[in-house]
Amino acid sequence: MQQINIIDAKKHVDEKVKIGVWLTNKRSSGKIAFLQLRDGTAFFQGVVLKKNVSEELFEEAKKLRQETSMYVIGIIHKDERSKFGYEMEIEDIQVISETEDYPITPKEHGIEFLLDHRHLWLRSKRPFAVLRIRDEVIRATYEFFGKEGFVKFDAPILTGSAPEGTTELFHIDYFDTNAYLSQSGQLYEEAGAEAFGKVYSFGPTFRAEKSKTRRHLTEFWMIEPEMAFMHQEESLDIQERYIAYLVQSVLDHCQYELSILDRDVETLKRYTKVPYPRISYDEAIELLQKADFDIKWGADFGSPEETYLADHFDQPVFVLNYPKALKPFYMKPHPTRDDVVICADLLAPEGYGEIIGGSERATDYNYLLEKIKAAGLDPKEYSWYLDLRKYGSVPHSGFGLGLERILTWLTLEDHVRETIPFPRLLNRLHP
């Protein structure tokens, strides 16, 4: 008899197998007990028929408590009524560890309660599905950039400089020297691009602001590619191919998880079609004003504006060339306009807003030096970054994708970061 995982049940129809599981829920009648089981790979139902087992086993099945761990032995059958498609007719149960008073019962719980018990909430279906999809996005990311000829080039988490300004930096006293938790690996990726051509980093980044919405997280993970000899238009081509690739990979490998979340796969399929629409910031302002938004040129977009723009096209949409005053110092100025920079944000539909921010990078040494000073930053801290403009500088572009942001969009969830298994973390989202 073979021991298998639940996810492999389809390979063992009409076979007797053994599976290590936890009990998530149960119900019973006089002649049958239905056990809802999980093993970390999937959820499915085990059925205990009173007529086919001993009286002792049937009574034991009826008395099992939620999250009891055990081995179940039985025959795998197809079950077209369930989302998973298979179930087990149980012939024997071997309890490993009993439990009682499990706090997350099969009823509605408030988000605050779930946050306080997130180390256990991980076992529930929705966090399970979200984290499985997260894993697929990560796997597909490595696959995509590997196929595209990128080198993974990890940036430090402790840094001495700020690519996005100093107001949101976590300060650290690093042996009597000022250091900060990284806001972004981008500046380091630019150095990598001039060594390897195309690089990307994938790691944690931080903002010294309280997390009050899904758009503002204290800690989040960023994928940050940087490409030498590349202008903005070519970068946009890579960005949309990357997003389409991630969506297709989730569709190909996470149908079960998407069904748990009731995510409409036909909607997701639309997002695999490229190219995505592209409009200028100027055109975006005109669209918003025509829709009676109270917004003037030069203002940044909030969630309502981003939602309207993306839903207007019913696709992810690039908004190009924002006002210079809204963007960081390193972005390349527009060749014919002094008021905008060469950049783009990719806005996701369905109310999820910006998921990518990117730009062509400034290459003029003197321009960058003046922008660094104007931002109130110390040029000495950026001497190495300025060196990149002195020794063989080339046109180069890059972008950053927030992993949590694309995950909330793909899953239509509000509390993706709350699935991390540590209670009372600062990084909390609220409805």
Side-chain angles (χ1 to χ4, degrees), residues 316-327:
V317 57
F318 287 108
V319 179
L320 313 178
N321 303 339
Y322 283 71
K324 187 180 294 186
L326 297 177
K327 293 299 181 180

Side-chain angles (χ1 to χ4, degrees), residues 26-60:
K26 74 174 191 298
R27 61 185 177 88
S28 61
S29 65
K31 299 181 179 179
I32 187 168
F34 299 95
L35 309 183
Q36 305 305 316
L37 308 171
R38 65 174 185 88
D39 73 341
T41 69
F43 295 73
F44 84 157
Q45 180 171 265
V47 179
V48 184
L49 299 174
K50 184 175 183 179
K51 64 179 181 180
N52 293 340
V53 298
S54 67
E55 185 69 27
E56 292 77 15
L57 180 63
F58 189 73
E59 288 303 312
E60 181 181 26

Side-chain angles (χ1 to χ4, degrees), residues 150-398:
F150 282 71
V151 173
K152 190 169 187 291
F153 185 85
D154 290 324
I157 295 175
L158 293 179
T159 72
S161 56
E164 304 288 348
T166 59
T167 58
E168 296 175 359
L169 284 173
F170 273 112
H171 177 263
I172 295 173
D173 182 4
Y174 185 71
F175 304 106
D176 298 323
T177 301
N178 288 328
Y180 309 94
L181 293 179
S182 176
Q183 289 177 314
S184 165
Q186 180 216 308
L187 303 189
Y188 300 97
E189 297 310 299
E190 290 189 52
E194 293 197 3
F196 297 98
K198 293 190 293 186
V199 298
Y200 73 104
S201 64
F202 191 171
T205 52
F206 305 86
R207 297 287 189 274
E209 59 179 348
K210 290 185 177 180
S211 298
K212 295 181 180 179
T213 74
R214 66 169 182 243
R215 294 165 59 87
H216 299 90
L217 297 181
T218 305
E219 175 191 349
F220 55 99
W221 285 68
M222 286 274 281
I223 299 97
E224 297 182 278
E226 202 72 30
M227 299 82 71
F229 303 102
M230 187 172 290
H231 293 287
Q232 176 74 347
E233 285 300 312
E234 301 162 286
S235 175
L236 297 182
D237 292 342
I238 289 179
Q239 292 175 45
E240 63 189 8
R241 290 206 313 273
Y242 174 43
I243 296 299
Y245 192 89
L246 294 182
V247 176
Q248 188 62 59
S249 291
V250 169
L251 287 169
D252 289 343
H253 301 287
C254 300
Q255 287 288 324
Y256 171 60
E257 289 80 5
L258 293 171
S259 72
I260 288 176
L261 299 171
D262 294 318
R263 184 59 159 118
D264 181 13
V265 296
E266 293 304 316
T267 300
L268 285 176
K269 287 177 182 178
R270 287 206 308 269
Y271 309 143
T272 65
K273 309 300 181 184
V274 296
Y276 296 149
R278 301 178 186 185
I279 60 172
S280 68
Y281 173 87
D282 299 344
E283 292 169 324
I285 289 292
E286 291 178 8
L287 279 172
L288 292 167
Q289 290 175 343
K290 289 179 181 178
D292 294 327
F293 281 85
D294 183 16
I295 190 169
K296 296 179 180 179
W297 196 98
D300 205 356
F301 301 142
S303 180
E305 291 82 9
E306 290 182 347
T307 296
Y308 176 81
L309 291 170
D311 289 348
H312 178 80
F313 292 94
D314 206 24
Q315 275 280 83
V317 57
F318 287 108
V319 179
L320 313 178
N321 303 339
Y322 283 71
K324 187 180 294 186
L326 297 177
K327 293 299 181 180
F329 68 87
Y330 52 75
M331 294 187 177
K332 187 177 181 67
H334 195 279
T336 63
R337 293 177 57 177
D338 189 50
D339 55 347
V340 299
V341 287
I342 303 175
C343 67
D345 287 349
L346 182 63
L347 310 181
E350 302 180 85
Y352 284 81
E354 179 196 341
I355 55 174
I356 287 181
S359 75
E360 190 165 338
R361 314 311 192 187
T363 55
D364 182 85
Y365 179 95
N366 292 323
Y367 174 84
L368 262 181
L369 179 59
E370 289 305 312
K371 293 294 290 183
I372 288 170
K373 291 178 180 177
L377 303 172
D378 184 355
K380 292 180 181 179
E381 298 291 338
Y382 295 84
S383 60
W384 66 271
Y385 185 66
L386 290 166
D387 278 350
L388 303 179
R389 275 68 184 173
K390 292 169 60 177
Y391 306 117
S393 183
V394 297
H396 60 290
S397 300

Side-chain angles (χ1 to χ4, degrees), residues 41-98:
T41 69
F43 295 73
F44 84 157
Q45 180 171 265
V47 179
V48 184
L49 299 174
K50 184 175 183 179
K51 64 179 181 180
N52 293 340
V53 298
S54 67
E55 185 69 27
E56 292 77 15
L57 180 63
F58 189 73
E59 288 303 312
E60 181 181 26
K62 289 169 57 179
K63 294 177 181 178
L64 290 170
R65 295 186 177 95
Q66 186 181 355
E67 288 303 313
T68 291
S69 58
M70 56 192 165
Y71 292 108
V72 290
I73 297 169
I75 308 296
I76 299 295
H77 298 300
K78 287 186 177 181
D79 179 18
E80 296 180 355
R81 297 165 298 177
S82 74
K83 291 181 178 180
F84 183 68
Y86 301 89
E87 67 177 14
M88 173 187 278
E89 182 183 338
I90 295 174
E91 297 180 355
D92 192 17
I93 296 172
Q94 300 170 0
V95 172
I96 301 171
S97 178
E98 294 183 349

